[in-house]
């Protein structure tokens, strides 16, 4: 065991970077439930999924047996441009808090897209290119996924059509320009360019859109255009698989100094960064080799794990996507205008949902104003301006460190710092001007959305 002081940043050599992704499902005794065809209620077959998604990604989606899947060399080379991401020992934060806890964060904001989403975008673009496709379609809410995918598509010379939730399109014009810089076309959703968009506009004139609507439009365009497939930036098993690079790097860095975390914390929107961060640790837990406390943090305004139900539901508002069994608030639930756009999704990855249901991880929800208080504190102490989504994890990491201060316990806390917040300054502005509110759905509102869940027997 090394005794030297742990550096502020633990980096890995190129040769120490992961060569395979890790598929947690392979080690789960009870597997996540399969995707169902909404018409037949039968498990989706590879051929059916192949109409929407790239073939190799379909294979990854359905594979719950293979623990390690090799990362193709082209993707590893791209990773080398911005990875390994640093694992930072938050010495300054520890000191400021006066806690005996040891705090580490894995920072994924060190690339132009500003978040972890590039880890999966580059993989999905690679497989689309390998299949000889012309391009891909997708949706983006806050804009991080669309940006990441635009970068990945331009790298492989693929066309990229992004449907951007209308309110973000209007509020974040610079995000849109970053995507256009990388050659993507960006359409505000709902739009007049698709059947589902026109239908939603007719039913809800003046709507500023939602992620669920944008997904429906992107799928419609992919299915209707020759040489195009649809790609998704979170929720799916394949995305968690690609994001396992975060956790594998984190574990390799910790292992270099024989550090064993007690608590691992991540924000959870669709579950991809958290699923990736925890993967090798959860693997050890599933195989009975080690134990960790794992905490998913979600916004109080969109509490799918903490207040949702575990049921089959649609992944999108237009009900064109397969049904997934997940913790969900109901695809009809439209979360209030929380500023953490990346966490405004009604459901949760089916893998994380199953792990949560088995009691292998915990979940908690936090209020928006408490999140921004933590974000600002962190920015001032550690220097990084965090994304609102990431700041959910910061909030809970600080709370856990403060508990250690009370008890005197020297726990090791690791959290995922998924991205930077430069495009979220309107949210910071609201916070500074005291204009930020906390909207928490009532039980009645949640019950109303739940009543519309599809009936599966
Ligand atoms: C998209 C996003 C998230 C949430 O997505 P997950 O799939 O739950 O990881 C969190 N943080 C940032 C910065 C994001 O862009």
């Amino acid at each position: 065991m090394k005794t030297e002081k742990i550096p502020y940043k633990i980096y890995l050599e190129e040769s120490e970077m992961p060569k395979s992704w890790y598929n947690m499902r392979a080690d789960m005794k009870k597997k996540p439930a399969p995707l169902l065809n909404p018409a037949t209620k039968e498990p989706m077959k590879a051929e059916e999924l192949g109409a929407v998604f790239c073939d190799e990604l379909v294979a990854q989606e359905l594979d719950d047996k293979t623990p390690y899947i090799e990362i193709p060399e082209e993707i590893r080379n791209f990773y080398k441009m911005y990875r390994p991401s640093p694992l930072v020992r938050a010495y300054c934060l520890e000191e400021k808090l006066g806690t005996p806890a040891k705090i580490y964060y894995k920072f994924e904001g060190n690339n132009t897209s500003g978040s972890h989403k590039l880890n999966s975008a580059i993989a999905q673009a690679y497989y689309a290119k390998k299949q000889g496709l012309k391009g891909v379609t997708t949706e983006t809410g806050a804009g991080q996924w669309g940006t990441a995918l635009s970068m990945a598509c331009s790298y492989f010379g693929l066309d990229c059509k992004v449907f951007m939730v209308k309110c973000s399109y209007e509020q974040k014009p610079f995000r849109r320009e970053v995507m256009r810089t990388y050659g993507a076309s960006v359409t505000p959703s709902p739009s007049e360019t698709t059947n589902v968009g026109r239908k939603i506009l007719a039913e809800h004139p003046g709507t500023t859109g939602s992620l669920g609507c944008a997904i429906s439009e992107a799928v419609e365009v992919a299915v209707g255009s020759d040489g195009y497939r649809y790609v998704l930036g979170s929720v799916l098993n394949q995305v968690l698989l690609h994001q396992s690079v975060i956790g594998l790097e984190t574990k390799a860095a910790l292992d270099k100094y024989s550090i064993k975390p007690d608590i691992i914390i991540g924000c959870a929107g669709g579950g991809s960064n958290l699923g990736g961060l925890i993967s090798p640790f959860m693997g050890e837990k599933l195989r009975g080799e080690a134990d960790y406390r794992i905490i998913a943090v979600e916004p109080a305004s969109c509490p799918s794990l903490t207040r949702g139900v575990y049921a089959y539901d649609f992944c999108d508002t237009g009900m064109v996507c397969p049904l997934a069994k997940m913790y969900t608030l109901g695809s009809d639930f439209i979360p209030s205008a929380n500023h953490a756009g990346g966490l405004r999704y009604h459901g949760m990855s089916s893998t994380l949902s199953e792990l949560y249901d088995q009691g292998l991880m915990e979940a908690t929800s936090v209020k928006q104003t408490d999140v921004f208080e933590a974000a600002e504190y962190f920015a001032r102490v550690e220097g990084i301006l965090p994304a609102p989504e990431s700041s959910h994890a910061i909030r809970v990491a600080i709370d856990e460190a403060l508990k250690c201060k009370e008890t005197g316990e020297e726990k090791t806390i690791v959290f995922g710092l998924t991205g930077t917040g430069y495009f979220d300054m309107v949210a910071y502005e609201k916070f500074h001007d005291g204009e930020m509110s906390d909207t928490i759905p009532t039980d009645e509102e949640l019950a109303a959305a739940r009543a519309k869940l599809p009936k599966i027997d």
Side-chain angles (χ1 to χ4, degrees), residues 225-237:
S225 318
D226 222 22
Y228 281 77
R229 292 292 186 282
Y230 166 71
V231 294
L232 181 59
S234 183
V235 187
L236 297 176
N237 295 321

Side-chain angles (χ1 to χ4, degrees), residues 10-12 16-18 83-88 104-108 119 243-261 263-265 273-274 276-281 292 412-417:
I10 309 179
Y11 276 107
L12 297 175
E16 296 170 314
M17 285 172 66
R83 310 198 65 82
S85 68
L87 181 72
V88 184
Y104 295 84
Y105 58 88
K106 179 74 167 163
F107 180 47
E108 291 291 319
N119 302 332
Q243 295 297 356
S244 69
V245 69
I246 305 173
L248 293 163
E249 280 184 12
T250 303
K251 183 130 192 343
L254 292 172
D255 284 348
K256 272 181 133 175
Y257 292 88
S258 307
I259 304 160
K260 189 180 168 294
I263 310 176
I264 303 166
I265 301 166
N273 87 83
L274 180 67
L277 174 67
I278 67 173
S279 61
F281 304 98
Y292 305 96
T412 298
I413 299 170
V414 174
F415 73 90
L417 189 68

Side-chain angles (χ1 to χ4, degrees), residues 114-117 144-145 233-235 239 267-274 342-343 348 387 389-390 418-420:
S115 81
H116 66 284
K117 294 207 169 68
Q144 288 101 325
W145 168 246
S234 183
V235 187
V239 185
C267 62
S272 74
N273 87 83
L274 180 67
L343 305 182
M348 184 58 64
E389 292 88 353
S390 323
T418 49
T420 48

Side-chain angles (χ1 to χ4, degrees), residues 118-140:
L118 193 54
N119 302 332
S120 182
I122 194 63
Q124 299 197 41
Y126 167 80
Y127 291 117
K129 184 71 185 178
K130 198 174 153 207
Q131 196 175 325
L133 298 176
K134 282 188 219 142
V136 292
T137 71
T138 199
E139 77 296 330
T140 197

Side-chain angles (χ1 to χ4, degrees), residues 22 24-30 279 281-290 355 358 360:
Y22 169 60
M24 270 189 294
R25 289 170 292 158
D27 282 313
M28 292 173 72
K29 283 189 199 81
K30 181 162 177 255
S279 61
F281 304 98
M282 185 58 88
E284 289 188 337
K285 218 172 144 141
L286 288 165
R287 297 187 302 269
E289 297 163 7
L355 292 167
Q358 291 181 26
L360 290 161

Side-chain angles (χ1 to χ4, degrees), residues 36-39 41 196 199-200 203-204 210-217 219-220 312-324 330-333 345-346 449-455:
L36 298 186
N37 179 321
K41 313 274 161 71
V196 65
K199 182 161 171 270
I200 291 167
E203 284 166 12
H204 308 274
S210 74
L211 217 45
C213 300
I215 296 176
S216 306
E217 289 202 88
V219 171
E220 182 182 315
Y312 268 104
D313 192 11
F314 287 97
C315 299
D316 64 324
T317 312
M319 304 182 182
V320 296
C321 289
L323 296 165
S331 64
D332 212 53
F333 178 79
Y345 184 66
H346 64 274
R450 204 180 291 154
K452 295 193 186 161
L453 282 171
K455 306 273 174 286

